[in-house]
Amino acid sequence: MVISLKNGFTEAGNATLFVARFFRELVKPPYELKEFIRQCYIMGYKSLPLVAITGFIMGLVLTIQSRPTLAEFGAESWLPGMVALSLIREIAPVITALICAGKISSGIGAELGSMKVTEQIDAMEVSGINPYKYLVVTRVLATTLMVPLLVVFADGIGILGGFAGINIHGDVTMYRYFSQVLSSLEFLDIIPATIKTFFFGFFIGLIGCYKGFTAASGTESVGKAANSAVVTASLAIFIIDMMAVQLTDLFF
Amino acid sequence: MIQVETNRKTQHVVELSKPVINIKGLYKSFGKNTDILKGVDLTVRKGENLVVLGKSGSGKSVLIKCLVGLVSADKGELNVFGIDMTKLSDQQLNAIRVRIGFLFQNSALYDSMTVRENLSFPLKRHSKKLTTKEVESSITEVLESVGLREAIDKMPSELSGGMRKRIGLARTLILQPEIILYDEPTTGLDTITSREISELILKIQEKYKTTSIIITHDMACAKLTGDRLVILKDGIMVAEGTYASLERSNDAWVRSFFI
């Protein structure tokens, strides 16, 4: 009990130092712009098909599942607005962030973990290159920027999925559907939901990097780093979401 | 100036006047009751090839990792090029590291990069004024030095163990270091490839006039490359001399390395 408590505090201390180092290295030149752009391409562009498919399914399923209940109250016309609101405020950010935790965070954890185990990070360090700046800062910045863009993309595709879902049983034109969607949305629905996705992205990248960068020696630790990155990042997403919802409720 | 004729096949004469590495009373432990180095004293002179022998876990790799700041020493003096390595800022340490090459046991090539990118990666970061043509000619030169010009566009996964070692050595050479630290350069290689790598170490030393510390269990490599050998036992240096003198040592444990 005492040992696990001690390990918990040590881990928390190490994680705090890791975050502090991120902000310290972030402002110090040289800047690894080329690697940052490469990471944006890998994390953003290459995740588009996965996010598009899940976004479309989210919108479609949500519409199909909500329809009978709304029909019972004769409120089917509320369906486009309700689907759009649910997607933008909650479902698309959380589901997309969870997908990114599974795809990106585990990928970073495994990549950096294997680099650590095979001494590639040490090789960078002994050749006078700052591996933290090259590997961690670029990846965390890329996830912080790309996850919000992926969420916006998932919002759009999800709303399209909703349009497909409505037209399974009905006949609604695209113009009418989108005018209902837009009339039910306000900026205050979009802004807090988008702000929290920057935090999702930041922690997805940071947790993946931390788990990989601090992997122990041995190939077993690579798997552990990847697994632990997904679990911790997913948990972090729910905690950040809970805090964001509370804050939004308080201020908006 | 002391001049010592080495036991190398090339009969190369090494100038042994100026110490470039000076270690005094170096201690390192990892947690309680895990003392790895217990007061190592070592001097390496310019142009010398020093071989460090010892059982697995005797602290050989930790010793050279302390030299480049990968592992921080608990106590003791650590001077490289006359600079105290224990009191440097990150920036100063990186400036010294450029002058020290390190060949890792498993070569530590960057998996996601081609051979060309592996070599240009450190060069571009330290010599920003170099043109693409100059970078390319440096890469070609070091690849020719290790005899692997044709591997320039290959990925590390496409290379054999011996080729990976050669490319690792080429990456070390690209920054033109004054000291090269070899961590078990022939481990995991067959006898013929091991000999080729040992000969390459000698060739590199003669061409680039580097000072080397070679950590090895391979006695053929030690015999071929070492001007001087030291033996570590339980974190302290127990024997020092040429291959021939240690082979005839009165200490049976020291002699056991040469059987």
Side-chain angles (χ1 to χ4, degrees):
Chain A
M1 173 71 183
V2 176
I3 292 171
S4 62
L5 202 66
K6 194 181 162 192
N7 288 345
F9 279 120
T10 310
E11 185 79 4
N14 288 339
T16 310
L17 288 175
F18 194 82
V19 177
R21 191 175 172 192
F22 169 79
F23 288 108
R24 213 170 51 236
E25 301 283 2
L26 179 67
V27 290
K28 262 195 323 198
Y31 307 107
E32 299 284 355
L33 194 64
K34 217 171 160 185
E35 177 64 8
F36 167 68
I37 293 167
R38 197 177 77 92
Q39 289 303 325
C40 286
Y41 171 77
I42 293 168
M43 289 165 188
Y45 182 72
K46 292 206 165 178
S47 303
L48 282 179
L50 186 65
V51 171
I53 292 166
T54 48
F56 188 83
I57 293 170
M58 274 189 296
L60 185 81
V61 169
L62 187 65
T63 310
I64 295 170
Q65 296 279 35
S66 310
R67 189 192 187 95
T69 317
L70 288 177
E72 223 170 277
F73 296 99
E76 268 181 292
S77 59
W78 288 5
L79 201 52
M82 196 211 77
V83 168
L85 213 62
S86 310
L87 279 172
I88 287 173
R89 290 184 82 152
E90 189 60 31
I91 296 172
V94 172
I95 300 286
T96 309
L98 287 175
I99 287 165
C100 290
K103 184 180 183 288
I104 299 172
S105 198
S106 68
I108 296 174
E111 186 191 9
L112 298 198
S114 71
M115 284 185 80
K116 170 97 182 190
V117 168
T118 54
E119 296 179 309
Q120 291 175 51
I121 292 179
D122 285 347
M124 253 180 222
E125 210 165 337
V126 295
S127 58
I129 298 162
N130 184 343
Y132 195 97
K133 194 172 251 308
Y134 183 76
L135 298 171
V136 178
V137 174
T138 53
R139 280 162 176 76
V140 176
L141 280 182
T143 53
T144 310
L145 190 69
M146 286 299 115
V147 171
L149 291 179
L150 288 171
V151 169
V152 170
F153 179 67
D155 287 342
I157 297 283
I159 292 169
L160 269 180
F163 174 71
I166 279 182
N167 279 297
I168 289 174
H169 294 290
D171 186 17
V172 181
T173 63
M174 191 171 265
Y175 176 77
R176 196 167 158 222
Y177 175 78
F178 275 98
S179 56
Q180 279 198 20
V181 165
L182 293 174
S183 65
S184 62
L185 288 176
E186 289 175 18
F187 269 112
L188 282 182
D189 296 319
I190 299 167
I191 290 169
T194 310
I195 291 172
K196 73 178 174 188
T197 59
F198 283 96
F199 288 92
F200 288 164
F202 177 74
F203 280 96
I204 286 169
L206 197 77
I207 290 166
C209 288
Y210 175 72
K211 295 292 177 186
F213 217 75
T214 54
S217 55
T219 46
E220 190 198 2
S221 60
V222 178
K224 276 186 182 169
N227 182 266
S228 176
V230 182
V231 174
T232 318
S234 304
L235 189 66
I237 287 162
F238 284 112
I239 294 170
I240 294 164
D241 190 49
M242 185 188 71
M243 288 162 69
V245 167
Q246 297 282 334
L247 285 171
T248 311
D249 193 41
L250 210 66
F251 293 110
F252 300 103
Chain B
M1 186 192 291
I2 311 158
Q3 285 207 320
V4 174
E5 198 167 346
T6 75
N7 60 350
R8 293 186 215 164
K9 288 270 157 72
T10 53
Q11 296 296 302
H12 175 70
V13 177
V14 183
E15 184 187 287
L16 296 178
S17 57
K18 194 178 163 191
V20 283
I21 298 172
N22 208 344
I23 300 171
K24 269 186 195 165
L26 189 72
Y27 283 82
K28 179 65 196 173
S29 64
F30 294 99
K32 283 177 189 169
N33 306 321
T34 45
D35 297 335
I36 304 294
L37 301 176
K38 300 173 190 166
V40 173
D41 298 317
L42 191 67
T43 301
V44 187
R45 292 175 184 278
K46 192 171 172 21
E48 187 179 18
N49 273 2
L50 176 83
V51 169
V52 182
L53 298 171
K55 279 169 64 181
S56 297
S58 59
K60 306 183 296 295
S61 295
V62 174
L63 177 69
I64 56 168
K65 283 183 178 174
C66 283
L67 268 177
V68 286
L70 276 181
V71 171
S72 55
D74 294 339
K75 207 166 79 175
E77 281 178 35
L78 236 168
N79 281 288
V80 181
F81 306 119
I83 300 161
D84 186 351
M85 296 290 283
T86 57
K87 289 173 185 159
L88 297 178
S89 66
D90 285 352
Q91 213 173 358
Q92 290 167 323
L93 185 61
N94 281 342
I96 298 287
R97 278 169 170 166
V98 176
R99 299 169 68 189
I100 309 171
F102 196 114
L103 181 67
F104 286 87
Q105 196 174 341
N106 297 312
S107 309
L109 298 179
Y110 308 125
D111 288 338
S112 58
M113 300 181 192
T114 62
V115 167
R116 185 197 304 273
E117 288 163 342
N118 260 282
L119 300 180
S120 64
F121 182 70
L123 190 62
K124 280 181 179 171
R125 270 156 186 81
H126 292 295
S127 316
K128 289 191 173 148
K129 286 177 185 164
L130 287 182
T131 60
T132 312
K133 207 175 167 186
E134 285 166 332
V135 170
E136 204 60 26
S137 98
S138 296
I139 291 171
T140 312
E141 191 203 322
V142 289
L143 280 178
E144 275 167 2
S145 293
V146 298
L148 275 179
R149 172 90 172 76
E150 70 283 1
I152 191 161
D153 288 317
K154 288 193 170 163
M155 293 299 286
S157 56
E158 296 173 89
L159 305 173
S160 68
M163 287 165 92
R164 289 173 74 94
K165 291 272 184 196
R166 283 168 185 267
I167 299 297
L169 190 51
R171 191 179 63 185
T172 306
L173 288 172
I174 198 123
L175 292 177
Q176 299 178 335
E178 293 158 59
I179 299 172
I180 302 183
L181 309 173
Y182 297 89
D183 191 3
E184 304 195 20
T186 58
T187 298
L189 302 176
D190 62 84
T191 323
I192 297 166
T193 314
S194 294
R195 189 175 172 85
E196 283 171 4
I197 295 290
S198 303
E199 282 168 353
L200 185 61
I201 292 172
L202 274 185
K203 197 181 120 193
I204 293 296
Q205 201 276 336
E206 276 153 29
K207 186 174 175 186
Y208 294 91
K209 309 286 177 228
T210 53
T211 305
S212 311
I213 296 183
I214 303 149
I215 290 188
T216 189
H217 293 286
D218 176 2
M219 295 313 291
C221 171
K223 188 175 184 178
L224 193 67
T225 58
D227 296 318
R228 185 161 60 101
L229 281 70
V230 295
I231 301 180
L232 276 184
K233 185 184 183 185
D234 300 327
I236 51 168
M237 228 173 70
V238 291
E240 182 186 359
T242 61
Y243 187 94
S245 67
L246 290 178
E247 199 177 19
R248 294 190 302 269
S249 167
N250 294 329
D251 188 330
W253 187 82
V254 170
R255 273 202 318 276
S256 69
F257 279 91
F258 299 84
I259 296 166

